[in-house]
Amino acid sequence: YGTAAREGAGSKTVLCACCANGYEGYLPTAEAFSQGGYEACSSFFMPSLEEEIVSAAKEMIANLK
């Protein structure tokens, strides 16, 4: 997610943190969901998660002054 969110950030510094403010389980990428495996099978989320997170991150970055 971090690499995809940084795209288009230009000169803005983008730092990604994990395991902050609680833990909601694994956040697999869409590709990981298609491959299966422990993380994808035990995740509470859907394959659309990656697009939603990256889109929201890019929107927040765009709104930075």
Side-chain angles (χ1 to χ4, degrees):
Y1 299 106
T3 301
R6 286 184 190 99
E7 292 175 4
S11 63
K12 296 174 184 166
T13 300
V14 178
L15 302 174
C16 299
C18 64
C19 296
N21 299 326
Y23 175 72
E24 297 300 325
Y26 290 107
L27 305 176
T29 61
E31 182 180 355
F33 274 109
S34 69
Q35 294 173 348
Y38 178 78
E39 289 87 358
C41 291
S42 63
S43 177
F44 298 113
F45 302 99
M46 303 295 291
S48 61
L49 175 70
E50 179 177 16
E51 182 180 339
E52 292 175 31
I53 288 177
V54 171
S55 177
K58 286 182 176 183
E59 184 178 331
M60 287 188 288
I61 292 166
N63 289 326
L64 291 174
K65 297 185 189 242

